[in-house]
């Protein structure tokens, strides 16, 4: 007997159904399979059902995460359009939502996952590619004077002319940080309040020591790494080397924040998955979280 | 006679293609999207076939060079391959031609390149210049064996950029619009899935 295995990945448990084919049909079946393989134009095909089902299960693109979250495609990745009965079907969404979490992450409790899915379905929360309130955090390596330096780029989609583009909205680099450190609890260096009467002649002394230059900047000053980054790139001092890693932050589902990371590992729970989930109760919570993500103090 | 028949077929197919595709409006209808997906997949399959031929140790050098030329024609100018592995997150960047040349020069006595019958096609998004862009994901299994028995195996995910553009051509004095697909940058990731 010849056995064909149909493997479906939905429902977490990945059920497998075995069908048996009598030997009499074996030759015609082999002929059909061979014909299909020879006409697909790919060249030699991998015939490994187990591997294949894992790859189907994988959330292969961010685009697929959006579609699965919204219930806009079938289990093989074929898109559903609004005129299709299954489009955004609640049962389908419920199944997809259960496989979109990193199962190895003990930080996201089962209760929280259930609460999130319930909220998403009851409040009809959908993700919209052009809806804003989501951004990428891209970990890159640049070289500065021949030395590798990590630079984090925060990126957003922006409308531009006939379409959209990704733009750098913020930059963070450890290498810039020491230049802005200052201790405001100490009196430190200062320009006395009557300096103006002397045409600020004491500025000469103030800038004698470059290390204390930031003592003379106002307390509310917030350093902007993007400006320094652009300046160094334009000067030719900072050169791009590679992208090391990236993740995405979503504030689109009202009352929730989640992080999306790529999991490249064996098994079925792979690809782009939710790696962090936080319930947001107030706008203040949201603001604190945003500042934390952007490395703002 | 044969030539005129061939020309007629080409003209007819182009006209039919344009009749399906050429519509006004910026948005791409589901029907048109499906037609574009088929065209994109055809190009991706051509690329897969070419990669298998280039990587095959039995392919003569002259034939491999000819196939590399054909493969390059599938791509938009300046396209690159970005390659990363499980152990090395850092992405190495190669021009498409260089990538093919490296594949041809791999130091194995036997090479087997197979493709999974899985693909994923993203939605199409419009970029600032009016062209549409999408990503097709496919998976490749590679096996290289040396005569001394050393074996290297990997499965790689290939995320392939596709550029979709509406073009115009003149056929028998009539302007006909059609949609053209070109491949762009490809991210190659070694996968442990």
């Amino acid at each position: 007997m010849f056995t064909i295995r149909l493997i479906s990945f939905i429902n977490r448990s990945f059920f497998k159904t075995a069908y048996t084919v009598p030997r009499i049909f074996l030759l015609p079946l082999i002929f059909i399979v061979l014909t299909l393989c020879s006409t697909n134009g790919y060249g030699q095909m991998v015939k490994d059902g187990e591997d294949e089902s894992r790859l189907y299960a994988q959330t292969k693109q961010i685009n697929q995460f959006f579609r699965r979250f919204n219930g806009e495609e079938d289990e093989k990745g074929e898109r559903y359009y609004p005129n299709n009965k299954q489009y955004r079907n609640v049962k389908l969404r419920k199944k997809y939502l259960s496989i979109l979490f990193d199962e190895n992450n003990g930080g996201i409790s089962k209760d929280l996952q259930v609460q999130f899915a319930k909220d998403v379905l009851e409040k009809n929360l959908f993700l919209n590619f052009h809806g804003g309130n989501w951004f990428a955090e891209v970990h890159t390596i640049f070289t500065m004077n021949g030395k590798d330096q990590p630079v984090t780029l925060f990126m957003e989609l922006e409308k531009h002319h006939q379409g959209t583009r990704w733009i750098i909205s913020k930059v963070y680099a450890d290498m810039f940080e020491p230049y802005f450190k200052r201790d405001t609890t100490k009196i430190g260096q200062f320009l006395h309040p009557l300096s103006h009467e002397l045409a600020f002649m004491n500025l000469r002394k103030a800038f004698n020591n470059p290390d204390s230059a930031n003592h003379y900047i106002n307390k509310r000053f917030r350093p902007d790494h993007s400006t320094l980054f652009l300046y160094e790139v334009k000067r030719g001092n900072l050169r791009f080397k590679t992208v090391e890693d990236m993740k995405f932050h979503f504030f689109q589902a009202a009352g929730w924040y989640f992080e999306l990371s790529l999991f490249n590992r064996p098994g079925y729970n792979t690809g782009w998955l939710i790696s962090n989930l936080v319930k947001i109760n107030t706008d203040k919570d949201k603001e604190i979280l945003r500042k934390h993500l952007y490395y703002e103090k | 006679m044969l030539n005129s028949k061939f020309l007629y077929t080409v003209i007819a197919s182009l006209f039919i293609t344009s009749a399906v595709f050429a519509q006004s409006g910026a948005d791409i209808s589901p029907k048109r999207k499906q037609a574009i997906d088929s065209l994109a997949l055809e190009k991706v399959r051509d690329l897969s076939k070419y990669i298998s031929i280039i990587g095959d140790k039995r392919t003569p050098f002259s034939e491999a060079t000819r196939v590399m030329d054909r493969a390059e024609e599938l791509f938009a100018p300046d396209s690159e391959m970005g390659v990363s592995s499980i152990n090395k997150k850092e992405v190495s960047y190669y021009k498409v031609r260089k990538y093919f040349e490296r594949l041809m020069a791999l130091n194995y006595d036997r090479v087997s390149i197979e493709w999974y019958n899985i693909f994923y096609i993203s939605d199409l998004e419009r970029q600032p210049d009016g062209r549409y862009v999408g990503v097709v994901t496919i998976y490749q299994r590679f096996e290289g064996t040396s005569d001394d028995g050393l074996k290297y195996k990997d499965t790689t995910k290939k995320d392939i950029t596709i550029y979709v553009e509406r073009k115009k051509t003149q056929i028998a004095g009539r302007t006909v619009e059609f949609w053209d697909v070109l491949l762009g940058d490809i991210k190659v990731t070694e996968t442990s899935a």
Side-chain angles (χ1 to χ4, degrees):
Chain A
M1 297 295 253
F2 181 74
T3 306
I4 307 171
R5 298 182 113 183
L6 292 180
I7 302 168
S8 172
F9 64 87
I10 289 195
N11 269 347
R12 279 206 151 171
S13 55
F14 298 94
F15 56 86
K16 297 175 182 179
T17 317
Y19 289 90
T20 54
V21 179
R23 192 174 286 276
I24 192 170
F25 298 125
L26 191 57
L27 272 177
L29 187 68
I30 290 172
F31 174 76
I32 291 166
V33 169
L34 286 177
T35 309
L36 285 174
C37 288
S38 64
T39 53
N40 63 34
Y42 260 116
Q44 217 174 342
M45 304 297 297
V46 176
K47 296 170 198 77
D48 189 335
E50 191 75 14
D51 270 3
E52 210 164 87
S53 65
R54 281 184 193 146
L55 297 176
Y56 272 123
Q58 183 178 86
T59 308
K60 293 167 273 298
Q61 297 181 8
I62 303 293
N63 188 105
Q64 188 165 34
F65 180 85
F66 272 79
R67 286 198 207 162
R68 284 181 167 177
F69 186 96
N70 292 344
E72 293 172 355
E73 67 173 37
D74 70 10
E75 64 217 59
K76 288 212 162 184
E78 283 288 326
R79 206 193 200 307
Y80 288 137
Y81 288 97
N83 58 355
N84 190 298
K85 271 186 186 172
Q86 286 295 308
Y87 181 78
R88 296 189 172 184
N89 176 286
V90 174
K91 277 186 184 168
L92 181 72
R93 292 193 76 195
K94 205 173 175 182
K95 282 175 184 171
Y96 275 139
L97 283 169
S98 70
I99 62 163
L100 292 179
F101 288 92
D102 166 26
E103 285 174 357
N104 295 355
N105 187 345
I108 311 174
S109 72
K110 203 80 200 156
D111 281 353
L112 198 66
Q113 285 183 35
V114 171
Q115 205 185 330
F116 175 68
K118 197 170 164 245
D119 231 23
V120 164
L121 296 174
E122 279 178 2
K123 293 180 183 166
N124 269 334
L125 303 176
F126 294 98
L127 296 180
N128 176 359
F129 186 76
H130 297 286
N133 280 317
W134 69 290
F135 58 92
E137 178 180 341
V138 186
H139 295 267
T140 66
I141 298 290
F142 279 73
T143 53
M144 179 88 165
N145 303 323
K147 197 182 160 199
D148 282 2
Q149 294 287 358
V151 176
T152 305
L153 306 178
F154 293 97
M155 309 194 65
E156 286 176 10
L157 281 169
E158 181 184 79
K159 279 186 184 159
H160 189 61
H161 290 268
Q162 297 178 63
T164 45
R165 60 178 184 176
W166 280 98
I167 48 100
I168 298 168
S169 57
K170 278 182 194 294
V171 176
Y172 175 83
D174 277 337
M175 67 178 158
F176 296 142
E177 270 302 284
Y179 298 105
F180 303 111
K181 271 190 182 156
R182 58 180 172 164
D183 186 353
T184 50
T185 59
K186 289 181 181 161
I187 292 173
Q189 306 293 315
F190 55 85
L191 297 169
H192 66 74
L194 288 179
S195 304
H196 60 291
E197 302 291 5
L198 292 86
F200 293 102
M201 67 170 280
N202 44 0
L203 277 172
R204 196 186 68 85
K205 279 185 273 179
F207 288 108
N208 232 356
N209 178 8
D211 288 344
S212 58
N214 48 7
H215 289 213
Y216 304 100
I217 303 288
N218 81 51
K219 279 181 188 169
R220 293 178 307 279
F221 171 71
R222 292 283 171 267
D224 174 14
H225 288 202
S226 308
T227 309
L228 287 173
F229 169 78
L230 205 56
Y231 176 76
E232 296 293 2
V233 168
K234 291 253 182 185
R235 298 264 297 177
N237 298 331
L238 200 54
R239 288 167 191 270
F240 177 80
K241 190 176 176 191
T242 191
V243 172
E244 282 211 314
D245 198 9
M246 63 173 178
K247 51 188 171 183
F248 294 84
H249 304 283
F250 285 81
F251 286 93
Q252 264 196 19
W256 294 90
Y257 154 80
F258 65 85
E259 176 194 82
L260 205 57
S261 304
L262 182 64
F263 295 90
N264 185 1
R265 62 190 175 195
Y268 288 86
N269 185 232
T270 63
W272 289 101
L273 300 168
I274 295 175
S275 49
N276 198 358
L277 177 68
V278 178
K279 189 161 172 50
I280 298 170
N281 296 314
T282 63
D283 284 349
K284 201 179 166 194
D285 286 354
K286 192 172 166 181
E287 204 41 44
I288 291 168
L289 190 52
R290 262 186 198 274
K291 281 192 169 180
H292 171 73
L293 295 174
Y294 283 134
Y295 296 88
E296 288 171 5
K297 279 143 199 160
Chain B
M1 183 66 188
L2 188 71
N3 281 347
S4 61
K5 254 188 181 175
F6 176 72
L7 191 67
Y8 176 78
T9 314
V10 169
I11 291 169
S13 64
L14 266 173
F15 184 75
I16 291 163
T17 311
S18 65
V20 173
F21 294 147
Q23 292 170 23
S24 58
D27 287 325
I28 292 178
S29 69
K31 198 174 173 184
R32 193 188 296 175
K33 168 72 165 66
Q34 278 163 1
I36 292 170
D37 284 353
S38 301
L39 195 57
L41 270 182
E42 207 176 298
K43 300 246 174 175
V44 167
R45 281 180 179 139
D46 283 347
L47 174 68
S48 311
K49 208 163 55 187
Y50 293 151
I51 287 178
S52 298
I53 296 170
I54 295 164
D56 191 336
K57 289 288 158 195
R58 291 164 300 185
T59 307
F61 179 79
S62 58
E63 171 69 358
T65 308
R66 194 184 65 81
V67 172
M68 278 193 274
D69 293 342
R70 291 287 86 74
E72 258 192 308
E73 286 168 10
L74 296 171
F75 286 87
D78 213 25
S79 295
E80 289 188 340
M81 314 281 276
V83 184
S84 67
S85 66
I86 289 171
N87 300 323
K88 194 169 148 250
K89 275 187 173 179
E90 187 181 315
V91 181
S92 304
Y93 303 88
Y94 305 99
K95 292 285 175 212
V96 168
R97 183 74 184 205
K98 188 81 195 164
Y99 179 84
F100 292 147
E101 284 167 357
R102 282 172 60 91
L103 176 66
M104 190 174 68
L106 281 177
N107 210 9
Y108 297 107
D109 296 299
R110 283 170 301 285
V111 164
S112 153
I113 295 174
E114 296 179 306
W115 303 89
Y116 285 88
N117 193 21
I118 290 179
F119 55 85
Y120 186 83
I121 312 176
S122 75
D123 295 329
L124 290 175
E125 291 295 336
R126 205 167 196 200
Q127 49 180 41
D129 63 4
R131 284 192 297 167
Y132 288 88
V133 64
V135 173
V136 176
T137 299
I138 56 169
Y139 295 87
Q140 173 202 278
R141 186 190 274 177
F142 175 92
E143 196 173 305
T145 318
S146 308
D147 278 341
D148 56 10
L150 280 177
K151 211 176 233 188
Y152 171 80
K153 277 200 285 192
D154 71 20
T155 299
T156 48
K157 176 176 181 251
K158 290 186 163 60
D159 296 306
I160 306 169
T161 313
I162 54 160
Y163 293 109
V164 180
E165 195 175 356
R166 188 150 61 176
K167 288 182 174 171
K168 285 178 186 172
T169 188
Q170 289 277 338
I171 295 175
R174 219 183 125 180
T175 305
V176 179
E177 289 189 349
F178 65 101
W179 290 82
D180 194 23
V181 173
L182 271 181
L183 307 184
D185 291 343
I186 299 182
K187 175 71 178 33
V188 182
T189 314
E190 187 186 349
T191 171
S192 54

